[in-house]
Each structure stands twice: as C-alpha cells, then as structure tokens.
Amino acid sequence: MSERTLPPAAGLRTHYIGALDESLLDRDVSVCGWVARIREHGEHLVFVDVRDHTGTVQCVMDGRGSLHTEAAVRIEGQVARRPEGTENTDLATGAIELRVQHAEVLGDADPLPLPLDEHAEVEETTRLRWRYLDLRRARMQRNLRARAATNAAIRRAMEAQGFVEVETPLLWTPTPEGAREFLVPSRTQPGSVYSLPQSPQIAKQLLMIGGVDRYYQIARCLRDEDLRADRQFEFTQLDLEASFVTQEDVRSFVSAAIREVIRSVRGVDDVPIGTITWHEAMTRWGSDKPDRRFGMELVDVTEAVRDSGARALAADYVTALVVAEPLSRSRLDELTQRARSAGAKGLAWFRVESRTPLEIASPLAKAMTPAALEALVERTGAEVGDTILVVADRFEVACTALGTIRLALGRHLADPDALDVFWVIDFPLFEGVDDEGHLVSAHHPFTMPHADDMDLLEREPLRVRSQSYDLVMNGWELGSGSIRIHRPDLQAQIFGLLGLDEQAAADRFGFLLDAFRFGPPPHGGFAFGIDRLVALLLGEETIREVIAFPKTQSGQDPMTGAPKPVDDGVLAALGLEARRRELRSGTR
Amino acid sequence: MSERTLPPAAGLRTHYIGALDESLLDRDVSVCGWVARIREHGEHLVFVDVRDHTGTVQCVMDGRGSLHTEAAVRIEGQVARRPEGTENTDLATGAIELRVQHAEVLGDADPLPLPLDEHAEVEETTRLRWRYLDLRRARMQRNLRARAATNAAIRRAMEAQGFVEVETPLLWTPTPEGAREFLVPSRTQPGSVYSLPQSPQIAKQLLMIGGVDRYYQIARCLRDEDLRADRQFEFTQLDLEASFVTQEDVRSFVSAAIREVIRSVRGVDDVPIGTITWHEAMTRWGSDKPDRRFGMELVDVTEAVRDSGARALAADYVTALVVAEPLSRSRLDELTQRARSAGAKGLAWFRVESRTPLEIASPLAKAMTPAALEALVERTGAEVGDTILVVADRFEVACTALGTIRLALGRHLADPDALDVFWVIDFPLFEGVDDEGHLVSAHHPFTMPHADDMDLLEREPLRVRSQSYDLVMNGWELGSGSIRIHRPDLQAQIFGLLGLDEQAAADRFGFLLDAFRFGPPPHGGFAFGIDRLVALLLGEETIREVIAFPKTQSGQDPMTGAPKPVDDGVLAALGLEARRRELRSGTR
C-alpha cells in the first residue's frame, strides 16, 4: 500500500511497534503483540522478536521466563541503539532494540498446529481450519488491509460523485425457478421462503424509480453455484445505478472509482482506462475480456484466403495467429484439441519454410492456390520459421477459439506487475437463437439496445448492439453494466423477441414491470466484484487470499464446520422435514 | 443535514434543480425530474412544478402537452426572475422560474395508487406495497440520505482511529439450539444448513486472535425474532472490536463515532457524552437506559421508612417519586397495575395535605409512625399538593417498577429536539439465579468481570460487576459492549458458575474456545444499531422510516410478496420436503 499511517496507540501500549525508531532512543515505551521468535544467546541473554501488524522489534531480555512462541505479550522497555554490526536492515526497526524492563504474558500459547513462517508450504485446508492463526501472517494482514483500503477508496470516489449509499434487503423474494439462489425458510409462514439476493439488480432499479438518482452500495451477494472456478458462495460487489445518464456517464463514474482504488492500493495515479468495442476485442485478441499485456494479436485473413481452394478455410470468418516459436506435432495436436473445445471445427497450421520462393509446410498447402498462400503470409507478416495458426468458422467461434490458443501460448509473456484496465463496449444485444427459434439475451433482458440500431431490432436482431459495457483488467472481467430499458413498449418488444409472453414476464419480473408504469427515469448502472479486484491488485492467485474467512472449493468452512446437519425439531418449526428415504437410497 | 452539497450534474441535465438560483438568470439550462404539480392558468399558460431530490422548480409552459403528474421529464428552459409579487419564499428556488423551451417526457406515468403529498395519511402497508413511489417523498429522500451520511460519518471516525474494515461471512455455522437464527439449506450437502449471523460476535473475536488489532464493520445482522417491538428481521449495526485495550478505550472509540454522526446529521459539534454507573441509573431514574431529558428523579427512601410500621414498606429497598400533579383514584389504580406488571408487589401513595402540621392522605398513613411519615416527606422534598409514589421491593424490582411509572407520567415532558447521550457502566455480571441454582449471565458468558471484584466471584457473585457498557440515547439503548474474557482458566470458572460443563461449552463455543489456546490478546468491543440511531436523530417513530425496503411487522414485504411458497422440486434439491400432514391438520 502506498499509504502507511499508524493508528494512534491506546490502551496497554504506548507505541505500535512500527513506530519505534531512533527518534525514541532512551525512551521507555510499552508495546503489545505476539512472540514471533525466541533466540537464546549463552546462559542468560535472550532475544525475543515481538510482532504486531505494524512491524517486529527485537527485545533483549535476561532469560526467557515463561515466554512461548505466539503468546500475546506486553513488553515494557527502553529503546536502545543496536550494537554496531548487529543492525538488521531487513527490518524497519532494525537499527534499534528494546531493553526489556518488564515482560508480561497476556495470553499464553500452546504449540501451534501450523507454521506461520511466510515461506512454509501449508495445505490450504489446514490454513482455513486455523484461519485465525493464518491471519497473523504478514501477507494476510497486508491483504485484509488492502481490501479495506479498496472499499474506502471506492466509497470516497462514489460519494464525491454524489452517489448515496442505500442498503437493500438480504431477505428478498424467490424467483419462480429458484435456480442458484440460496433460500431462507420462514418461521412465521412455514413452507414459505425468502431468497438471498444474487445481486441487488431489481432493488436498485426500484431505487431509481424512487428518485434516489445516484445509488451505490458495497453489497454482499450470494449465489449457490459451482465453486470450482475460484468463486465463493458469497461475494462482495460495488453496485451502482444512476438516473438521467448515458452509458458514458456510468463508465466515467466507475473509472473514477477504479482509479481511486489503484491510487490507494498500488500507488499509481491516474491510470489510463481506454475503451474498445467488442468487435475490436474479438478481432484482435479473440476474447471479450482480452489480456492485452502481451502482443500476439490475431489477424483477419478472411479476404486473403477467400477462394483459396481449401474447403477447411471456407467460412464466414478466418482468423490467424503468427507464432514465432517452433511447434511440435504433439503441441499442434493439443492446440487443435483446444480449438475444438472452444467450439471450432479445427485448427489449420502453416509453417513458413522459405520466403522466396515461398515454401509452406501444411496439410492444406497442396489444396490451396499459390496466391492464397502468398496472401496469407503477406497479410500476417509471418517470417521464415514462423507458424501461422488459422481458424475458420463463424466470427465469434473463430475468434474465441484462436483467442484461447493465444492465451495458452502467450500468457506467460504478460508482465505480472502491469495493470491494463479498459472498457469493452458495443456488445451484441443477443448472443444467438435458442432451439425454439427465440433470441437469447447476451446480458439480461432489461439491457437497452444501441440507439443507432433500433431499426435493426426486427430486421436483423443479431446485428443489434446493446448499451452494455464490461470493465476488464489484465484479462479478467471485473464487472459489467448497462443502460436499462425504461420504456414499457420497448420492453414488451424485447420480451417478444425473447419468446417471453406477457404472463411469463409478469411471473418473473412482475413488480418491477409494474413500477415502470409510474414515471420511470432513464437509468443505467454497473457492478464489479471486489474480491477479484483486490486479488488482481495484490497479485494473489485466488480470491480466498483476500477474504478473512472463506469457504473451501466445496463450500465448507473447516474452521466452524459449516454447513451442519440440523435437528428435526428445528426443521419442523420451519414447516420442513428431511427427505430421509431418498437420502438413504443415495438419490440426490 | 448540516451539509448540503450538490453532486456534479451529468448526463441529460446541466443542473440539479437545487442549484438553480438568480446567479443563473437568462442562462439556458436543462433539468431532469418528476412532474410534481400542474396548474393551468387561462387557456395556454401552464405552471409545472418539476422536482428532483435537490429541490423543486416552477416551469412556465405554453400548454401542458402530454405531461402527467409524476412522469419523468427533461426540461430545457431559460432561468428567469419571477414576476414581482409571485416569488415563493417557501421554495429555495422561489425567486426564479424556468421559461420552458422544450419539455420531453422520458417516462410516462399512469395515475398513482397513493398520494405523495407529505401530509396525506396513507396506511403503511400501502406505502410499503408501492415503496418505490413512497421513496419519492421529500421525507424519505431526507431519511435515506441521512442514513448514508451516518454510515459515512461512522466510517470516517473509525478509520481515523486505525480501525480496519473486515467483512465477515453471512453463511455462518448454526448453533446447536438454532433459536432465533435464520437457516440456509445447503445444496451441496443436502440436509445440512448454514445460519445467517445474529451478529459477527465470534468472527470478530477470532479476528482479534488473528492479530487484526482494531476491526470494524457496518454489518448486516439477521435475527428471527418477534417483530412487534419495532424490530426488523435484518438490521444494521456498527460492529467493532479492539485488542490490548481497556473499556475506557473502547468507549472513547465509540464516542468519537457517535460525535461524528451527530455532527454530520444534526450539525451539533462535540456533543457531551457522560458516564454513569448502572447503580446510579437505577437509583435516580429506575432504568438501565434512562430518559434523562426530563426530571422527576427517584429518591432512595429506604432509611427514611425503615421501621415505619407499615409492612408494605418493609423491603430491601424503598424508592419514591414525587408527582406534582393531582392523581385521581383511577389513575393511581392504573399506575399500581403498571408497577405490578413490572414485577413489584404494589405501589404505595402519600398525598401531602398540609405541611405544618403534617397531614398525609394515604392508605398506609395510619399504620405508620409520624416519624417515618415526616422522614419520607423530608427526604423527598414533597410539598403540599404533591403525591409521593413509593415502591418497596428488591433493589432492581423496586427501581424498575417506579422507573416505568416515571416514564408513563413524565415522558411527554422530554424535549423532542434534545439529545442526551451517555454511557452506563458497571453492570452486574450476573442477572440472577435460574431454577437449577445456576447463575445467569447479564450480557454474554464471555464478559470480563470487573478487575476489582474478582475475589467476589465465588463468595458473592451477584455483587460482581462486569466490564460491560451500554450506550444510551434519549432513553433508548443504542448498543452494548464489553471487555471479553481471554483467559481459558477464568472462562472455565465462569462456565462453572453458569452451570455449563466442559462438553456443553465445547458444543456451543467449540472453535472459539479452541482459539483461546493460542495467544489470545486481551480485547473488547461494541455494537450499536444504526437503524435506531438514525430514527432517533431524525425524530422518526419507527425504524421502518429509515430503511429503504423494510418488512412489515409480520415479516412480509408487500412489494415483492416475500416470503413465498416454493416448489417441491426446489426443496428436494436441498434434501427437504414440506411437512404437509401437520400443516393440513393445523399443527404448527
């Protein structure tokens, strides 16, 4: 963190340890903390490192007394300069030591069940089982404090922009299908349930109709979903919504918050936050959340290989990637498999053996016209020794497949300290057509179509862009937002295209649609995940490293034992009982 | 609110309405908001009041066009001085008006299902059914914004004191008895449940063991309890905990936060926050959360009536209240009933008919010695015409009963604008003895006994004071806290006095007790309810007025319809089914 201010000391200490330096020489001070290390020198002299969250200081004592490692202690002593040659430059307090006058054990410690050494390899389940000890490590202290600084920076930025914090309910109403929602049974209405909100989406749109104008909240959201992809059942997001604004306004609000966070956590002022279209993101990097920290851009070779003669290259869109390293046959097979997993029919490759005359090694080379091969090399700029990887398919499939390969080949080139933050805009409104011939929303069904594309809605709906926008950092989607539809007639038209009849729409979104009858303002908003943002800024691999008490990837808490079985009597009070028969016979 | 800064305008408006004044004369501006009122003057001239959350402005148009009340509109116009004599001094913008060049309906409005007039009497259920419209009223806008200002002030104060915000889990572990907890069934472990936290008490103590040093959180808590006493299932509290501190330190941290809130919401600087003991609070006001905004203090007359001759006055403690107003027989009967409801055996009364010679009208007068009567009048300072009300009982019962009567007779004397904030300290550690002869904790079993009373623990435990403290405002307990026991040996002793054996303690508090084996720091904390604080500061009668989307007193949300019945298939996925048979036969 760029800022490092120590809190005012109080209580049992005169100073936080991080405040001890040569300006206090000969002063009597008292500090509180934990015994980090005990080293006995000779018969009597003992060096005890005492640690609080601000630092560690060496305390010199006559005999170790009853001190144990990780006991909570209070030390009274005199600040002294260390003997020449024994200074420790690794330590902020390394020029001084405390000559102990009095050492008091405030809370004794049994031997610890896990080492707190930063470099010790400890299984994550063990760390989570003893999380309260794991939190004593400097890295976890840094992470929790950086997270708090992130929240504070966000609030500062939002409030400076006139946003008002409103707390929305945790006990919300269940949706008809109840998928991915956590449910909370009611005791006053046995058999009925509340749901925990997956996001305050509907509540915040109602706040706009209620005239709140600019709302924000650092909101806890809960989603009962697969945790494998580094997710948690509960997560925290900055949630915001504003009325009478354009999508540029919303992006500007969010950019200000992100800049304030980066300033606060990484010490970088005014980080640039650019904007690219979805089409550009797909074309150049093969992803709607591209990692632009390394090159290896894709190249549109559709024209170059038109009428090439190779049937494998006859497609809507053909995209190419030049790889400078030699690729073995097995590597190429593996990459082909990746392209197929991403939905493409296959992966073509072309190795440039010589330039003049042009010699290409490729399974397709024989089938192709020399002109097409020449155009392919020309267009991609490939040189001798390079391999050109090509995917031909529908635009999205081709780009996504080759984008996946780009990441697999290039992500190690990305500078881990770089910060690349930008907006992706102009997403398609619909992502495709379902089995029944209905369009499918790319975001959610309240997303406003692009103003310039309204006349395409009925004619060429798949070409309609939406007024939605994602914020991307280092190849991760931090969050997304949109301008919402606020006109009932337009909403009805979109529901129609999605194949939702009036009754189905009313069942799902009833009271929100109702609200739109009473003077809805134009509005739009955004939400981004704070867990991921903090993890990215700190270079942590998983969001569990920036959460005080996370669950494991199977949703359990090894510290508390949650979730736990519950007595029949408790369930009965909720109008429920366990489905014993099915459970016994193994049906789940 | 003392501060009134307008957010920077953006999007479809050049100005918020509250920013319009004579400095903008002749300027073209655009504003957005809702049509508050339409008045037609003659054939063409129409005055339209347009409102946003910052103010209302009169817009002058030729014809009303398609404007409806409460439609969302955008108005372009020129700022003009109102014709002399037509200024409206009730309105901040009352010196000017907008000459409309262009009026655009952004969101049309059907006729509203409830009036938004501040003075209209609307049933609360109707207001909650259409809460998103109710929120447009100036009062609700003020309340939500004052609440946001409260949260911001709290965070400012806590962070200035070195507290770090840590988010603790919502999906927590259920307690063995599960009383008053909301449960969340797990889909990955059907039949098992998480619980929603009634407070982050255990989590924050674990953070102290984890070295966080000073923790705070504006935490959502959930308690499945009776809602009649103006409570909600979910509520928000400032939750804090600090290590290596004394109770004075904790009170000072909280006082700073409360002062910052009062400064921000009421514009009062440095409100004094005194401290009284529980004993003084009970003796003088007959309550552990006294309303001191009016006099009518109780008087200890135990000595005065000792050996008075009246058996009704023979008790541990006798307390008196002088009432200047005449009390009818039926009023006295009613007050006697109140005393009995509060647990007292009865209420004695003495009317001073004459002073010299002393003449007292009272059912007890004949049984009493003249000396006792004289001493009673002398001690209370009662004058001719006054009535002395007396309760004789155990100390707590006598004080509480007469304190209830004091409130009933005097609360209307309290200045509603006054702010009386103070600490009550030195509570008894135990509130009594249960049927099995075990002591009962007054707060919770982790509360540290007073350092001076440790030797009374085994000898006279009911005389032991605790290191706990309540914060009281205008007769409401805002919150409470304590220094916690951090030594396992003392905790075991207290569990013993409470009749909790080791196994029972482990079942209830297992992983917390475990944590205390590994260098627990001395620590203490506090929590206060933000809903109540904001309601008190705004003079609102119920906390529902300061919550965006509250539940009714039966726990329902008339807007969303929550809670709702849920499909059997959804329950089955959670390993549950409805208890249909019992429900049908009416058993609950």
Side-chain angles (χ1 to χ4, degrees), chain A residues 42-53:
Chain A
E43 209 162 326
H44 288 298
L45 199 62
V46 177
F47 293 94
V48 178
D49 286 348
V50 175
R51 177 197 71 232
D52 67 20
H53 71 276

Side-chain angles (χ1 to χ4, degrees), chain A residues 88-105:
Chain A
N88 181 346
T89 52
D90 290 346
L91 223 54
T93 63
I96 58 106
E97 60 189 15
L98 273 192
R99 304 269 160 81
V100 177
Q101 292 146 349
H102 180 67
E104 187 183 355
V105 175

Side-chain angles (χ1 to χ4, degrees), chain B residues 373-499:
Chain B
L373 285 172
E374 179 62 42
L376 178 64
V377 173
E378 180 70 24
R379 177 88 180 98
T380 58
E383 295 176 2
V384 173
D386 290 352
T387 304
I388 308 171
L389 301 176
V390 173
V391 179
D393 217 304
R394 288 190 299 111
F395 175 74
E396 269 197 67
V397 172
C399 293
T400 304
L402 202 57
T404 306
I405 289 172
R406 170 181 176 269
L407 271 187
L409 291 172
R411 191 163 239 177
H412 68 279
L413 301 171
D415 174 1
D417 292 330
L419 274 185
D420 181 37
V421 195
F422 56 98
W423 290 99
V424 180
I425 63 168
D426 289 352
F427 281 79
L429 183 63
F430 301 106
E431 66 178 22
V433 175
D434 69 14
D435 298 341
E436 295 171 24
H438 297 308
L439 291 159
V440 177
S441 287
H443 279 66
H444 63 64
F446 306 113
T447 306
M448 181 72 94
H450 199 292
D452 297 344
D453 296 353
M454 288 292 179
D455 57 328
L456 296 173
L457 265 177
E458 298 293 336
R459 249 188 316 130
E460 288 185 87
L462 288 173
R463 279 190 53 210
V464 174
R465 292 164 298 168
S466 67
Q467 296 194 41
S468 70
Y469 28 87
D470 281 6
L471 183 65
V472 178
M473 179 186 283
N474 292 1
W476 285 87
E477 183 207 309
L478 281 186
S480 67
S482 64
I483 298 295
R484 328 297 181 183
I485 298 171
H486 69 283
R487 278 171 30 212
D489 56 337
L490 179 60
Q491 188 66 66
Q493 184 185 9
I494 297 285
F495 281 154
L497 292 168
L498 297 171

